[in-house]
Amino acid sequence: MSNYKETATQVVEAIGGKENINNAWHCVTRLRFNLKDKNNIPIDKIKKIPGVMGAQFSGDQFQVIIGNTVADVFEEVDLIVGDSDQGDITNSDEGFLSKLFDIISAIFTPIVPALAGTGLLKGFLALAVIFGWTTAESSSYQVIYGLADSVLYFLPFLLAVSTARKFRTSEYLSLALAGAMMYPTYLTAAQNAMQASFTGGEAPAPWHMFGVIPLPLVSYASSVLPIIFSVVVLKYVVNWVKKWMPDSLTLMFTPMVALLITFPIAMVIIGPIGTYAGNFVGDGIAWLFEVGGPFAGLVLGATYPLLVITGMHYSLAPISLTSYAKNGFENVVTPINSVTNLAQSGSAFAVVLRTKNSSMRQIAISSGISASIGITEPAMYGVTLKLKRPFYAALAGGGIAGGFSTFMNLKAYGGGGMPGLFSIPAFIHDKDTMNVVWFIVALALSWLLSFIFTLVLGFKEEVEEEILVEEKPEIVVDPVEKNRIFSPLNGKIMLLKNVADETFAQELVGKGIAIVPTEKEVYAPISGEIKLFPESKHAIGILGDNGVEVLVHIGIDTVELGGEGFNLELVVGSHVEKGQLLGTVDFEGLLAKGVDITTMVIVTNTLNYTDVSPAQEEGIIFKEEELVHII
């Protein structure tokens, strides 16, 4: 728990504290934030926080990739931020699409566990019927099926809560609105009207509200859009009523008036339109896949991981749920999402077989297992995207398997848990026994093709490591320099723990020492190859001829200066000698702007050595004096 708290604290501090957060929530692997000020977010610094796998902006939403422990980290974030899942997005300056994906993600993500658990249970029930362990007429089956079907049937209640939280309105008034839509008397009349339209029987008498307004009879069981739009309207109605309602009466009369205004709008206008719109979208997607066939599945399968990277895959949730509600199954999102997850797993396990890096092998094993059960971010960010070619292999394997899934018209009959191996029970149906068989074939096809493609394409990491190992013995290192790093500056020594940057102060990057410069010249602290020199010129990474990796980080948060004040011209791949003048920095000018010029000299591969310690812990130091000693 302490590690989660440390990760959460550092992330919140890095993005500007709770004061800079409009809204915070999480999905399966990521912390998601709407920030008031999106400028100057130290993404590179955040990526180095323990427990963080990556960080990025997706549109105007800031995402911090955590992995499987995201829920634990978010608990700590929520304690720091407070009411973080109730951010008001109405005043956001995000673009339309960014805001739309943000809203969809925040509304549907919280209900995923309930959908997954009951969907998985529904699959096991179907399996029990197929194997003759029970019958659909037994009381045990009926009771457990009620549990398995409850979340989908009463979906408006769940969506009412998550929508209310997103739009900062009363959850309980929203639930009252959902209860009115799902009230048994109204639902029975709506179902009778629907049955009459199908069979040609006698339709029930028309309903009217207040004796004047005709009330369409529409069943809202399992519906998605009507309750979401109704809660949004409720928010504005409540706020409007509060403006003129006397404070002494608002507790009792504001909820009553708001419901009396919103309810007719919801039942007469929003509900029917939302229902028909949802059916239209569902029919449109089904038509697209019917016309496009396997090609449509191939395209979505090959691009689905790109949607995951940007967080846009949640935009497909309404389509999926609408299909379940209307047809009793879903044959687009769940099958293709499942096979693309297995594709990432297959590529990750191919990396296990080919890599010679023990650390990469361990990451690939754990993330490959996670991907097979539906958590792909660790595999993508830790393995396939990092090595590039395995990611391309997974796109190809997932695309082919997606086309196969569409060709076989695979159907998920429930949420089925996280898309992947745990989705298998969702594809079991007592009247469509081959459906699950072909789904397993699709999963195997995706995994195997991605595995083979990765083995064939290979990846550069292995070659680069071999070259590095071959070159090392050819370098003759001066014995005087072998275990020593020399000062790149004239200045005053400072221990890392006193540096005003927690990443360096806690030695998260590695051990070393800091210097407060007194002169502008910067010299090479070691002989070796320049491996890192960003456009901002604030950091220099050198791979020493003796194998030591040294980072000279000039100033704190100086990346934001964009190179201003830095007169350094280095070329990545070039070789420098210890004591060589690398350039100058206008430290006086930086100080005048309020910039902290403390410069860190860090051994970034500290774990390769028994000990890395300062040659001296205080006082003045001059260039080419011994600064750090390595054992």
Side-chain angles (χ1 to χ4, degrees):
M1 183 61 71
S2 60
N3 290 336
Y4 303 144
K5 183 175 182 180
E6 180 182 346
T7 300
T9 300
Q10 291 190 45
V11 168
V12 172
E13 288 179 354
I15 61 179
K18 62 181 293 184
E19 298 79 11
N20 193 39
I21 299 173
N22 273 331
N23 187 25
W25 71 102
H26 74 92
C27 60
V28 180
T29 56
R30 312 174 193 203
L31 301 174
R32 295 168 178 258
F33 299 95
N34 291 135
L35 303 179
K36 296 176 183 176
D37 183 2
K38 298 179 284 291
N39 299 316
N40 303 323
I41 299 299
I43 294 179
D44 290 337
K45 175 182 175 181
I46 293 171
K47 289 179 180 178
K48 296 176 182 177
I49 294 175
V52 172
M53 300 176 61
Q56 65 185 23
F57 274 99
S58 178
D60 290 316
Q61 182 189 111
F62 187 63
Q63 303 174 354
V64 180
I65 297 95
I66 300 295
N68 298 338
T69 61
V70 67
D72 300 304
V73 175
F74 181 76
E75 285 185 13
E76 300 297 330
V77 170
D78 204 25
L79 290 175
I80 299 170
V81 176
D83 292 332
S84 58
D85 59 346
Q86 299 181 18
D88 187 354
I89 52 79
T90 57
N91 295 321
S92 171
D93 61 353
E94 299 175 20
F96 173 75
L97 285 179
S98 296
K99 186 184 293 186
L100 178 62
F101 291 134
D102 171 18
I103 292 171
I104 291 173
S105 173
I107 290 174
F108 286 94
T109 299
I111 70 174
V112 166
L115 284 168
T118 54
L120 192 63
L121 180 58
K122 190 178 287 188
F124 283 127
L125 273 179
L127 189 65
V129 171
I130 290 174
F131 283 101
W133 300 333
T134 187
T135 64
E137 290 74 28
S138 70
S139 58
S140 295
Y141 177 93
Q142 296 293 336
V143 170
I144 298 176
Y145 186 85
L147 171 61
D149 193 50
S150 62
V151 171
L152 193 59
Y153 186 83
F154 293 106
L155 191 59
F157 287 100
L158 282 75
L159 293 174
V161 173
S162 59
T163 305
R165 290 180 176 178
K166 179 60 180 173
F167 284 86
R168 279 190 174 178
T169 193
S170 170
E171 296 174 24
Y172 302 102
L173 290 181
S174 300
L175 284 169
L177 207 54
M181 290 180 167
M182 295 293 293
Y183 199 72
T185 305
Y186 176 79
L187 278 187
T188 300
Q191 289 164 357
N192 290 339
M194 185 181 300
Q195 184 177 4
S197 66
F198 287 147
T199 62
E202 183 178 356
W207 281 38
H208 291 82
M209 190 172 292
F210 309 125
V212 179
I213 305 173
L215 183 64
L217 294 177
V218 179
S219 176
Y220 296 112
S222 306
S223 63
V224 176
L225 298 181
I227 188 62
I228 293 176
F229 292 144
S230 297
V231 170
V232 174
V233 171
L234 176 68
K235 169 193 170 66
Y236 291 101
V237 172
V238 168
N239 291 345
W240 176 72
V241 175
K242 281 182 177 179
K243 288 180 180 179
W244 54 264
M245 182 69 68
D247 292 341
S248 59
L249 301 177
T250 191
L251 180 62
M252 293 183 296
F253 287 96
T254 293
M256 182 189 75
V257 173
L259 286 175
L260 282 175
I261 295 174
T262 307
F263 180 65
I265 297 174
M267 300 297 284
V268 176
I269 302 174
I270 297 176
I273 292 177
T275 299
Y276 299 142
N279 291 340
F280 177 78
V281 171
D283 290 342
I285 296 295
W287 175 83
L288 179 64
F289 271 74
E290 183 179 345
V291 173
F295 178 75
L298 187 150
V299 172
L300 183 58
T303 57
Y304 201 91
L306 303 178
L307 298 178
V308 173
I309 290 172
T310 60
M312 292 166 58
H313 56 303
Y314 283 100
S315 64
L316 300 177
I319 297 171
S320 179
L321 291 176
T322 299
S323 179
Y324 281 126
K326 182 181 180 183
N327 305 316
F329 61 83
E330 197 274 307
N331 61 347
V332 176
V333 181
T334 305
I336 291 179
N337 191 3
S338 298
V339 298
T340 56
N341 287 349
L342 265 292
Q344 294 294 330
S345 176
S347 288
F349 277 105
V351 171
V352 172
L353 195 64
R354 289 204 57 164
T355 185
K356 295 183 179 180
N357 184 315
S358 59
S359 176
M360 174 59 74
R361 182 176 293 109
Q362 292 174 8
I363 294 172
I365 291 173
S366 61
S367 64
I369 294 172
S370 295
S372 69
I373 60 175
I375 310 294
T376 56
E377 278 86 348
M380 286 198 294
Y381 288 99
V383 182
T384 60
L385 265 174
K386 186 174 183 179
L387 300 176
K388 294 184 178 62
R389 291 180 186 174
F391 184 70
Y392 304 149
L395 295 184
I400 295 173
F404 176 80
S405 299
T406 306
F407 178 75
M408 299 305 300
N409 194 25
L410 300 181
K411 302 181 183 71
Y413 292 94
M418 298 304 298
L421 295 179
F422 284 174
S423 289
I424 291 175
F427 287 78
I428 300 172
H429 196 271
D430 54 349
K431 297 180 181 179
D432 187 9
T433 54
M434 287 303 294
N435 185 68
V436 68
V437 174
W438 288 118
F439 177 66
I440 294 173
V441 171
L443 294 179
L445 179 67
S446 182
W447 192 96
L448 189 60
L449 287 177
S450 301
F451 182 85
I452 294 173
F453 291 161
T454 301
L455 290 181
V456 172
L457 290 175
F459 41 89
K460 293 181 180 180
E461 173 213 46
E462 182 179 1
V463 176
E464 290 173 353
E465 287 182 353
E466 288 176 355
I467 293 173
L468 191 58
V469 171
E470 291 172 0
E471 288 180 350
K472 281 181 180 178
E474 299 175 2
I475 298 175
V476 179
V477 181
D478 184 343
V480 176
E481 294 187 18
K482 186 169 180 61
N483 296 317
R484 304 164 71 190
I485 297 174
F486 302 89
S487 178
L489 296 162
N490 294 334
K492 184 179 180 180
I493 287 178
M494 176 189 293
L495 293 177
L496 281 184
K497 66 180 182 180
N498 297 324
V499 170
D501 186 311
E502 287 300 309
T503 300
F504 293 111
Q506 296 183 27
E507 298 183 340
L508 302 180
V509 181
K511 293 185 177 182
I513 195 74
I515 305 170
V516 180
T518 55
E519 296 184 17
K520 62 181 180 179
E521 289 78 14
V522 181
Y523 302 88
I526 196 171
S527 297
E529 181 183 347
I530 301 293
K531 285 290 187 179
L532 170 70
F533 187 63
E535 292 182 5
S536 54
K537 303 182 181 181
H538 73 291
I540 305 168
I542 303 176
L543 173 60
D545 294 340
N546 55 4
V548 180
E549 297 175 2
V550 181
L551 173 67
V552 180
H553 194 286
I554 305 171
I556 294 176
D557 294 333
T558 43
V559 63
E560 300 169 7
L561 298 174
E564 182 181 354
F566 291 81
N567 186 24
L568 300 168
E569 298 299 335
L570 303 176
V571 178
V572 174
S574 63
H575 192 275
V576 295
E577 297 295 332
K578 186 265 292 184
Q580 177 181 329
L581 179 63
L582 302 180
T584 61
V585 178
D586 182 12
F587 290 116
E588 291 184 1
L590 297 183
L591 281 172
K593 294 181 178 181
V595 176
D596 189 335
I597 63 171
T598 304
T599 298
M600 285 61 65
V601 181
I602 307 295
V603 176
T604 55
N605 60 342
T606 293
L607 296 178
N608 291 355
Y609 301 99
T610 303
D611 186 43
V612 175
S613 58
Q616 61 185 81
E617 296 186 351
E618 59 182 13
I620 303 297
I621 194 163
F622 297 95
K623 75 175 184 74
E624 295 190 73
E625 274 193 274
E626 183 179 1
L627 184 68
V628 175
H629 188 71
I630 299 171
I631 301 176

